[in-house]
Amino acid sequence: MLNYLKEADGIPYICRLLYEAYRIQVTWLDAEDNIRLTLPALVEGRPAKPGSKGLLEEIMDVVRSNRISQSTEAHSPLPLVHTTGFLENCLLLRLPADGAHSGGTILLGPSLSAPITEEMAASLLCDYNLPQSQLESWLRYYRSLPVLNRMRWYHAALLLYTLITGQALSVTDLLLASAIPEPAVHPGDGPDLDLSYRRENVWLHHDPMLEREMFRHIASGDKAGLLRAQAAFPEESFGLLSKKSQLRSKKNLAVSSITLATRAAIEGGLFWEIAYTLSDFHIQHIEELKDIPAVDRALNAALCDFADHVRDNRRSKLSRTGALCQNYIFNHLYEELSLSRLAEIAGLNASYLSQLFKKETGLAISDYIQRERIEEAKRLTELPGITLSEIATRLHFNDQSYFTKVFKKYTGKTPRQYRQEKGNLL
């Protein structure tokens, strides 16, 4: 421990420093786990769960049951990074005992890696069988917590460790120390016995080439080829991913197939945000199904959906730079977009990028952005609950009249005419 920490105000000083740097709750506990200091003094508390422990007691149980193994050369315990079942992140460091200090713990948190939406909070309450009447109190609690992404959180752990010990620590060392996985429990002889049984009875998993062929058709947007490959896939070669439930096993297989299909679609040129959104949609749908035939049908529909989207969105004629720009424009269409920002993303001179993009697409970058915003506006006009003025504002058109002028340029109709026509067709 650093010499100045041997002074009486050393630990409080570090606590104040960390609080001011991250605006996150910092708690100092003595060797008997009694609170010596909390900054700030008043914070929104986690809603009480009947018959359960409070957050602090829960975290201290983690500390007691997860003593980090140290090599004989190590002088100090390493920080413990912990995430609770309610997605709170906490960071703990046990203070080394020496002549001036009897030990103790510094606790940072709780914090969140990302904001918790109302839908997420409701599903967490459902997971833990808590009444939905508590939703508002949980939302208030979540909104009171600071949000630090994982890498910033890890660096807070490194800073705390260095302030306490004066020693350097890498992110890798931190993660290796915090990752204490429980070993998988295998009944009997586990996978070795299962492997022997499969080989003896020629009950083998599928040839990886069959899988590769199926997802190659998705990457090329070939739905017919995909269906042929899928029909040739031997049902008996699928693995068993749940021993307790055939339905759960089927759902797990479907989720893994959709994950591979997502990667194949991205490799085939589909914008990754579209691919991931499709993946989320289909997996959520499959999770709600109640029987195996419905899961099989939903998986077939999902794989065909990926192939169709790749077919409709092939970008094979574009260079890597052109595809990168198009993907960035798609993901950030609701933000201000500039040639200078795209040049920065592509790592090219703005003038050269402008020439390259127009050569590949036939459009100036500004015209391409304008066209894509109108395509997005067309999709939004078909949705209920959003006005035309809101669409214009969200897509960064200066005013309603300019939006109408540009919309008519690309569609031949005003936004109002387009919405009315679509409404009549529905």
Side-chain angles (χ1 to χ4, degrees):
M1 189 180 294
L2 294 180
N3 289 333
Y4 68 82
L5 292 186
K6 295 180 180 179
E7 300 174 7
D9 64 346
I11 297 299
Y13 170 76
I14 287 180
C15 291
R16 286 193 296 271
L17 195 63
L18 289 166
Y19 170 69
E20 292 297 338
Y22 291 97
R23 288 293 167 178
I24 189 167
Q25 186 174 3
V26 183
T27 304
W28 171 30
L29 302 103
D30 62 21
E32 287 72 41
D33 296 338
N34 300 310
I35 296 177
R36 295 283 302 278
L37 175 68
T38 298
L39 296 172
L42 297 174
V43 293
E44 180 82 25
R46 177 205 263 189
K49 296 185 293 178
S52 65
K53 300 176 179 178
L55 176 61
L56 180 59
E57 191 174 355
E58 176 184 334
I59 295 303
M60 294 314 297
D61 281 348
V62 172
V63 174
R64 298 182 192 108
S65 62
N66 291 274
R67 297 300 183 186
I68 302 172
S69 59
Q70 298 292 318
S71 67
T72 55
E73 293 81 12
H75 299 292
S76 305
L78 298 181
L80 171 64
V81 179
H82 176 70
T83 300
T84 72
F86 285 90
L87 305 183
E88 302 138 309
N89 293 325
C90 293
L91 172 63
L92 305 106
L93 180 65
R94 288 183 289 121
L95 299 172
D98 58 22
H101 293 273
S102 58
T105 304
I106 290 183
L107 165 64
L108 269 66
S111 74
L112 300 172
S113 297
I116 301 293
T117 65
E118 182 173 345
E119 184 179 12
M120 292 170 63
S123 65
L124 282 169
L125 295 185
C126 183
D127 289 341
Y128 287 93
N129 297 315
L130 296 175
Q132 291 297 314
S133 58
Q134 293 186 7
L135 180 59
E136 281 304 317
S137 59
W138 276 95
L139 285 173
R140 285 195 300 272
Y141 169 64
Y142 280 131
R143 289 165 186 156
S144 73
L145 300 183
V147 177
L148 278 76
N149 65 45
R150 291 195 180 276
M151 189 52 67
R152 192 163 179 231
W153 190 233
Y154 295 153
H155 280 98
L158 304 187
L159 176 60
L160 172 60
Y161 180 80
T162 300
L163 287 171
I164 292 295
T165 68
Q167 301 170 20
L169 183 69
S170 70
V171 172
T172 302
D173 291 335
L174 172 70
L175 296 181
L176 288 174
S178 294
I180 312 175
E182 296 183 5
V185 178
H186 301 294
D189 290 322
D192 290 336
L193 183 61
D194 189 56
L195 175 60
S196 174
Y197 178 79
R198 280 180 169 272
R199 293 163 66 197
E200 179 183 1
N201 292 276
V202 199
W203 183 32
L204 305 176
H205 284 85
H206 60 270
D207 185 333
M209 290 302 297
L210 292 175
E211 183 181 278
R212 191 173 297 127
E213 180 71 6
M214 190 168 73
F215 292 108
R216 182 181 66 82
H217 290 304
I218 291 179
S220 62
D222 180 7
K223 182 164 69 174
L226 165 66
L227 293 173
R228 288 194 301 270
Q230 196 174 20
F233 219 100
E235 176 76 15
E236 67 276 7
S237 69
F238 291 130
L240 181 65
L241 300 188
S242 173
K243 288 190 174 183
K244 295 183 178 180
S245 166
Q246 286 295 316
L247 176 60
R248 183 67 261 167
S249 182
K250 270 288 186 182
K251 287 185 177 182
N252 290 344
L253 285 165
V255 169
S256 62
S257 296
I258 290 173
T259 300
L260 293 171
T262 303
R263 303 303 185 271
I266 293 171
E267 291 176 5
L270 188 62
F271 291 152
W272 51 262
E273 189 60 31
I274 294 178
Y276 289 138
T277 301
L278 283 177
S279 174
D280 293 347
F281 171 81
H282 286 295
I283 289 175
Q284 289 167 8
H285 172 61
I286 284 172
E287 283 294 333
E288 299 299 320
L289 300 177
K290 304 301 183 183
D291 60 75
I292 289 175
V295 174
D296 288 336
R297 291 192 298 270
L299 175 59
N300 290 342
L303 298 180
C304 289
D305 198 11
F306 278 107
D308 286 341
H309 273 80
V310 171
R311 180 200 62 206
D312 296 338
N313 293 276
R314 290 306 300 269
R315 297 295 192 269
S316 57
K317 293 182 180 179
L318 291 178
S319 66
R320 177 186 173 279
T321 298
L324 180 67
C325 288
Q326 287 196 342
N327 193 75
Y328 185 85
I329 291 169
F330 178 85
N331 289 339
H332 298 269
L333 202 60
Y334 287 83
E335 304 170 23
E336 290 287 355
L337 287 164
S338 65
L339 175 59
S340 60
R341 178 57 180 157
L342 287 170
E344 181 182 345
I345 294 296
L348 295 175
N349 173 272
S351 178
Y352 176 72
L353 175 62
S354 181
Q355 295 174 20
L356 177 65
F357 192 90
K358 186 167 186 178
K359 180 179 179 181
E360 292 187 4
T361 66
L363 291 171
I365 288 178
S366 59
D367 291 336
Y368 178 84
I369 293 172
Q370 190 178 77
R371 188 191 70 181
E372 290 300 294
R373 282 185 166 146
I374 294 301
E375 288 300 312
E376 186 72 3
K378 287 164 60 179
R379 286 188 284 271
L380 293 176
T381 57
E382 298 175 32
L383 300 178
I386 181 170
T387 67
L388 296 178
S389 60
E390 288 173 339
I391 294 173
T393 300
R394 290 174 64 180
L395 292 173
H396 293 272
F397 288 96
N398 295 334
D399 52 50
Q400 186 66 38
S401 61
Y402 179 62
F403 172 56
T404 300
K405 177 182 177 181
V406 177
F407 193 97
K408 191 170 184 179
K409 169 186 172 183
Y410 285 97
T411 67
K413 303 178 181 66
T414 67
R416 191 172 304 280
Q417 290 170 338
Y418 186 87
R419 169 170 273 180
Q420 290 172 345
E421 182 179 284
K422 286 295 180 180
N424 292 332
L425 293 176
L426 294 178

